[in-house]
Structures are given as C-alpha cells and as structure tokens.
C-alpha cells in the first residue's frame, strides 16, 4: 500500500533560518509522482513542485529547493532564509497507480508539517 | 487563468440534513477529484470524475456521492449528515489525471460544520 510519512509534526524557526521538511514514501509502483503542497490558514492547497520517479535531479526555485533520493525513498524540501509568510502546513503527496486500472487522480498525503516562522 | 473555484466556502448544517458542494475546475481540465480533510484522518481521497463518469472512488460510505457535468463542473453530495462529516472538503482538477503526470490543482475548499 502507498504510504507517505512526514515524521516532523511541528517546526518553529526564527526568520532567516534555513529549514528542511522531511518526507519518506513507500510504493510498489515503478513510475510515480511526488508533490509538495503548502496550505495556509485559508485552506487552499497551493502546489509547490512535482517530481517524476525517473528524474532524480534536484531542483532549486528561489528560496526553495528539493532533494529527491530514490535509494532512501525520500523527497525533502528546504526553505532557505525563511520568512514569516512561509508559515503554513506543508504536505508531501504521492501518486498511486497500482491500485487502479487506467488513469486516476488519487494522491496519498502525509500528515503534514506545521511550520511557524517567528519574526 | 482562473483557478479551481469552490462554493460555498463555509456552511453549517444539522445532523440528518444533506449538503451539496460545487466545484468549477480550471478551464480545460477534465478530471475533477474530491478530498476530505479532518484533523484526525488528514487528507483522504473521496472520488474522481472524468468526462462525466466516476473513474475512481475512495473508501467512503455511499452517503457520499458526486457527479460531473458536460462542462466539467462537479458537485458532491453528502446525505444524512453525521457529526463526523465536519471537515474541509477540497476539490482538485487536472488535465487528465495525476497518474499520467499531470499536476493536480486544489481549490480553497468548503468548510462544513455539522451540528
């Protein structure tokens, strides 16, 4: 069965600190997609990044960077020089293929990490 | 480009009533899926519609149902509401499905409180 583990539940940092959010996943699929979403208090899940299982190239986008390692089934997310506006709940999610025949839009989510950035 | 739009944003219902939530996907997206978010269970997949047909379903009772219209707009219905149905209901859309490599974009959600 698919599983996404976000072992950290709450992280509190002071503005300008770097912070890494961990994500470990389990899947039997050979092709899969990993996602990170940000959820501010308003409720909307804001898409941050998608990664393919066959592309382990790490990515940097502004203050955000992602480290994908298939060998350890991890897809970690780092915020450099954190800001108060980064305060939110962050979810890691995994696509699912083997349970269904044909295409689907099911994501398995981790429990989320609440990030608080203090001024 | 407009995002995923959900209505209503907030609603309060009484146990035993039914509720209908609406979702307008991003223009051109044909897959619409619904998720329930609660503090205890987290984010759980309810069901997905593609081209007006339910393509996949999560592990929820039959009180939860949905449909999709020819313009890809979708509604979900919960009948005989229970206190445990209090949750944030999120609608998401993608071109054709996340398993095909498409990104899923979520709406702001509908906050349902059952009293």
């Amino acid at each position: 069965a698919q599983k996404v583990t976000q072992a950290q539940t709450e992280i509190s940092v002071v503005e300008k600190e770097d912070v890494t959010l961990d994500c470990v996943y389990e899947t039997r699929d050979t092709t899969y997609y990993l996602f990170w979403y940000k959820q501010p208090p308003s409720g909307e899940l804001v898409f941050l990044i998608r990664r393919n299982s066959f592309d382990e190239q790490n990515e940097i986008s502004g203050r955000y960077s992602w480290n994908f390692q298939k060998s350890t089934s991890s897809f970690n997310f780092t915020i450099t020089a954190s800001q108060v506006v980064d305060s939110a709940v962050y979810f890691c999610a995994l696509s699912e293929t083997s349970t269904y025949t044909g295409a689907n839009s099911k994501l398995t989510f981790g429990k989320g990490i609440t990030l608080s950035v203090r001024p | 480009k407009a995002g995923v739009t959900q209505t209503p944003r907030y609603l309060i219902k009484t146990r035993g009533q039914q509720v209908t939530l609406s979702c307008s996907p991003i223009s051109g997206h044909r897959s619409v899926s619904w998720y329930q978010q609660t503090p205890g269970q987290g984010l759980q997949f309810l069901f997905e519609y593609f081209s007006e047909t339910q393509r996949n379903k999560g592990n929820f009772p039959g009180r939860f149902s949905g449909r999709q219209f020819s313009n890809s707009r979708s509604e979900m219905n919960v009948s005989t509401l229970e206190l445990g149905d209090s949750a944030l209901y999120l609608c998401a859309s993608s071109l054709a499905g996340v398993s095909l490599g498409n990104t899923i974009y979520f709406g702001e959600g509908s906050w349902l409180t059952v009293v």
Side-chain angles (χ1 to χ4, degrees):
Chain A
Q2 311 275 114
K3 188 177 180 182
V4 175
T5 301
Q6 295 182 264
Q8 304 151 309
T9 54
E10 294 185 23
I11 299 176
S12 181
V13 299
V14 177
E15 208 169 18
K16 296 184 184 177
E17 282 186 33
D18 297 348
V19 57
T20 295
L21 311 181
D22 298 332
C23 173
V24 174
Y25 62 93
E26 295 176 31
T27 181
R28 291 179 300 175
D29 296 339
T30 54
T31 299
Y32 51 89
Y33 300 89
L34 291 159
F35 297 80
W36 275 95
Y37 288 90
K38 171 183 178 180
Q39 187 175 44
S42 63
E44 180 183 6
L45 280 171
V46 178
F47 166 72
L48 295 176
I49 191 171
R50 182 192 74 205
R51 217 70 194 126
N52 308 324
S53 57
F54 43 86
D55 180 5
E56 288 192 70
Q57 184 176 0
N58 294 321
E59 183 166 335
I60 298 175
S61 176
R63 296 185 298 107
Y64 298 164
S65 62
W66 290 269
N67 186 341
F68 175 36
Q69 293 192 341
K70 283 183 75 172
S71 60
T72 56
S73 297
S74 64
F75 185 39
N76 298 335
F77 171 34
T78 298
I79 302 174
T80 302
S82 61
Q83 300 175 1
V84 173
V85 293
D86 295 327
S87 297
V89 181
Y90 290 83
F91 290 93
C92 180
L94 170 68
S95 68
E96 184 164 337
T97 304
S98 58
T99 304
Y100 301 99
T101 55
N104 75 81
S105 283
K106 182 185 177 185
L107 289 177
T108 298
F109 284 86
K111 293 295 186 184
I113 302 170
T114 300
L115 174 64
S116 298
V117 182
R118 309 186 305 276
Chain B
K1 193 173 184 180
V4 179
T5 305
Q6 291 187 244
T7 57
R9 286 277 286 135
Y10 305 91
L11 64 167
I12 300 174
K13 291 288 187 178
T14 305
R15 266 183 306 175
Q17 287 186 315
Q18 73 167 10
V19 65
T20 299
L21 309 177
S22 181
C23 172
S24 293
I26 292 172
S27 177
H29 284 192
R30 296 170 62 193
S31 166
V32 175
S33 48
W34 290 87
Y35 287 78
Q36 181 196 63
Q37 185 177 20
T38 60
Q41 298 300 317
L43 280 152
Q44 293 184 289
F45 172 75
L46 278 159
F47 35 63
E48 178 202 7
Y49 286 85
F50 182 79
S51 293
E52 302 179 64
T53 302
Q54 187 180 84
R55 185 160 70 174
N56 295 292
K57 190 175 186 302
N59 190 25
F60 279 82
R63 300 185 296 107
F64 292 82
S65 63
R67 59 177 176 169
Q68 186 181 34
F69 302 95
S70 58
N71 61 359
S72 292
R73 191 177 68 84
S74 177
E75 290 181 346
M76 70 161 282
N77 183 276
V78 187
S79 62
T80 318
L81 284 166
E82 301 176 359
L83 294 179
D85 297 333
S86 296
L88 175 63
Y89 290 89
L90 290 158
C91 173
S93 78
S94 70
L95 280 170
V98 71
S99 64
L100 300 175
N102 301 147
T103 294
I104 290 184
Y105 296 94
F106 286 82
E108 288 188 300
S110 293
W111 294 88
L112 170 65
T113 301
V114 182
V115 298

